Amino acid sequence: MADRNVGAESGPYTQANRSGHPRGRRATTVTVAGVLAIAALAAGCGPQDPAADAPQQPPVRATPAAVPTPTPPAPSPSPSSSSSSSSSPSTADNDKNTDDAEPTTAPPSSPAPSSPAPQPSTAPPPQVLMRTGSEGAQVRELQARLRQTGHFGRTPTGYYGQVTAEAVRSFQAERGTERTGSTDAVTWRKLLAMTRTPTADELDPPTERPVAEPDKRCLTGRVLCISKKSRTLAWMIDGRVVSAMDVRFGSEYTPTREGEFPVFWKSRDHVSTLYDTPMPYALFFSGGQAVHYSADFAANGYGGASHGCVNVRDKEKAAALFDQVKNNDKVVIYW
């Protein structure tokens, strides 16, 4: 409404426009100047600007920075139409814009090198010299040396069984080595350093127990004189002891017979058909009962029993006895 009133007050201006008289142009100039004056007064109604009296420079219009038009996301390709992908924005352009952009974060730094993990030892284990089941002179020496240190409480037999293995474990435990029960090179060296060379009597003692007083039936002829009381066997010829050895007997359920018997059969590599067990150097004297070497006796000592036979635990002595005894030689078993 205000704009309409300002134009209505100039009657001559209206007429001049209609007639084309010069007064109309002059009136138009005056009218425009009046409008500009009114606009200037309206602009000066605010707080006083200290820079208003300074010479005014024509304003410089800042050219706005070009704002890139955001590229609309490419529509998902239709599985049924391949033509739609040609009308979508170029994927190559998007990739190019991405490659040219400054990275917003620094690339991850490489981790500091860690210390190399310790490698397991590649040293080979000590060589095993003797173990359960071994036999021979070295085993006999091992047993004699273990006896010197107090770990083996029996006479050497030359057979490496459970008793010997336990003695070795006991020795290893005291020396801080692995308790394997097998005699390796380290264990053997430690044992040699602690002991002296065994004597002949230490390596091959007559018996673990003293030989009993012989029965009067043993004083003549060739006799295997066997005492259940002392648990010893004395091989005697005409009252003289040729050799002696430790023996064990049958249990209360399979007792060894007592009395006087002849040797009626020799079998060097005999195997029991009843119990399917080896009976090396067997000297049969009563039915299926015989004097023979027993690996179980050598390994376990008096902790076990036979099925009625007379067991010898020293293999070398059993072999020598087998070679010397003849059929019809006497066997005397007594208390």
Side-chain angles (χ1 to χ4, degrees):
M1 296 294 292
D3 292 340
R4 185 179 300 177
N5 290 339
V6 171
E9 292 176 356
S10 302
Y13 170 76
T14 304
Q15 293 175 358
N17 285 340
R18 288 178 181 177
S19 62
H21 195 276
R23 287 181 59 184
R25 287 196 298 272
R26 195 164 45 244
T28 302
T29 302
V30 173
T31 302
V32 171
V35 171
L36 292 176
I38 293 172
L41 291 174
C45 294
Q48 179 67 37
D49 184 359
D53 295 336
Q56 297 295 320
Q57 297 293 332
V60 178
R61 293 184 180 181
T63 303
V67 179
T69 303
T71 303
S76 301
S78 172
S80 60
S81 174
S82 59
S83 60
S84 60
S85 60
S86 61
S87 61
S88 62
S90 173
T91 304
D93 292 340
N94 291 338
D95 292 342
K96 183 177 180 181
N97 293 338
T98 302
D99 292 340
D100 292 342
E102 291 291 333
T104 57
T105 57
S109 60
S110 301
S114 58
S115 300
Q119 297 296 324
S121 175
T122 57
Q127 178 187 5
V128 175
L129 305 178
M130 293 167 278
R131 57 166 57 91
T132 301
S134 300
E135 297 182 71
Q138 190 177 25
V139 175
R140 188 180 293 273
E141 181 181 356
L142 168 70
Q143 293 166 336
R145 288 181 181 272
L146 287 171
R147 189 170 187 177
Q148 291 179 19
T149 63
H151 292 279
F152 190 75
R154 301 178 180 181
T155 57
T157 63
Y159 182 85
Y160 203 122
Q162 291 301 318
V163 173
T164 304
E166 285 301 321
V168 171
R169 287 190 187 96
S170 176
F171 178 82
Q172 290 171 331
E174 285 193 0
R175 302 301 173 272
T177 57
E178 187 177 0
R179 298 177 70 250
T180 62
S182 298
T183 304
D184 54 41
V186 173
T187 302
W188 182 243
R189 285 196 299 267
K190 290 180 179 292
L191 184 60
L192 291 179
M194 294 181 58
T195 56
R196 54 176 171 76
T197 302
T199 64
D201 287 341
E202 288 175 328
L203 289 171
D204 192 15
T207 59
E208 183 175 312
R209 297 170 178 266
V211 177
E213 187 71 21
D215 186 90
K216 62 180 180 180
R217 293 170 291 182
C218 300
L219 299 178
T220 59
R222 298 163 59 90
V223 186
L224 295 172
C225 193
I226 301 170
S227 169
K228 283 188 171 182
K229 183 177 181 179
S230 66
R231 294 189 289 189
T232 59
L233 181 155
W235 165 233
M236 302 179 67
I237 298 177
D238 295 332
R240 178 178 63 88
V241 176
V242 178
S243 64
M245 57 205 73
D246 298 321
V247 292
R248 73 177 184 181
F249 308 98
S251 66
E252 61 178 320
Y253 303 105
T254 56
T256 301
R257 303 181 187 101
E258 299 167 18
E260 182 178 335
F261 313 92
V263 174
F264 67 89
W265 182 34
K266 296 172 60 175
S267 180
R268 184 179 296 273
D269 299 311
H270 192 78
V271 177
S272 171
T273 57
L274 183 61
Y275 300 105
D276 193 29
T277 55
M279 298 171 57
Y281 310 114
L283 303 170
F284 287 92
F285 60 86
S286 176
Q289 294 188 357
V291 177
H292 67 85
Y293 166 73
S294 169
D296 181 75
F297 183 27
N300 301 312
Y302 290 101
S306 72
H307 292 99
C309 291
V310 179
N311 290 162
V312 179
R313 69 177 180 183
D314 191 316
K315 192 173 186 179
E316 292 182 5
K317 291 185 176 181
L321 183 67
F322 182 87
D323 290 337
Q324 296 175 40
V325 173
K326 301 177 182 178
N327 285 336
N328 295 320
D329 286 345
K330 287 190 300 182
V331 176
V332 177
I333 301 175
Y334 65 99
W335 279 96

